[in-house]
Amino acid sequence: MATRSNVLITGGSQGIGLALAQRYARDGARVMVTGRHAATLDRAARAHLGLETFVSDISDPASRIELAEHVVRVMPDVDVLINNAGIQRRVPLAADTAPWTERAREVEILLGAPVHLNDLLIPVLLAHGRPATIANVTSGGAFVPQPFAPLYSAAKAALHSYTW
């Protein structure tokens, strides 16, 4: 008998993350999704019965640690981690006047968060002795840089390289 997958998806309350959650749930997996906004997560959970949720700001290292601790408590058999959470600031390089903190937050969400969360959860993924999967969601911008989103493209290229 096949073991039921236990899936954690960051940024899973809408868009690509929610579609992945629906697919895994439809295939019988236990699925937990994260996001920054409780209301958005609640809507996703109401629309898709059985979906577990956890409010987490992936841009904050302390919040990532809290998420990992929560996973250890409630889903210790996690065997699939999908780092999907992301943002995209659509600002050409020469036009970008945002403060450094805003730019750094984009890099932190797109690159720092997946690397940190992997570091926190790899021991958990390996502890049960079954095959496990980490999927880091990137973008076509990793291969063909987007002039309207240079920082996004660079971070996704770095995540692609890290994943390989």
Side-chain angles (χ1 to χ4, degrees), residues 66-98:
E66 184 181 325
L67 170 59
E69 291 170 347
H70 179 74
V71 169
V72 167
R73 280 192 309 276
V74 304
M75 191 185 274
D77 288 335
V78 63
D79 54 1
V80 178
L81 167 59
I82 301 177
N83 288 303
N84 172 70
I87 61 170
Q88 183 185 78
R89 295 173 52 253
R90 291 182 170 231
V91 184
L93 185 63
D96 196 348
T97 59

Side-chain angles (χ1 to χ4, degrees), residues 34-131:
T34 73
R36 289 177 291 156
H37 305 291
T40 308
L41 287 167
D42 289 344
R43 276 194 301 278
R46 281 194 310 274
H48 309 283
L49 298 177
L51 200 60
E52 299 174 41
T53 64
F54 187 76
V55 176
S56 177
D57 180 356
I58 210 74
S59 72
D60 176 32
S63 186
R64 294 190 297 260
I65 292 168
E66 184 181 325
L67 170 59
E69 291 170 347
H70 179 74
V71 169
V72 167
R73 280 192 309 276
V74 304
M75 191 185 274
D77 288 335
V78 63
D79 54 1
V80 178
L81 167 59
I82 301 177
N83 288 303
N84 172 70
I87 61 170
Q88 183 185 78
R89 295 173 52 253
R90 291 182 170 231
V91 184
L93 185 63
D96 196 348
T97 59
W100 172 248
T101 53
E102 187 176 324
R103 298 175 202 199
R105 183 173 180 273
E106 183 175 17
V107 173
E108 187 64 20
I109 290 169
L110 297 173
L111 179 61
V115 171
H116 187 202
L117 200 54
N118 289 348
D119 180 60
L120 293 168
L121 291 178
I122 283 174
V124 182
L125 290 163
L126 297 176
H128 48 64
R130 293 186 322 277

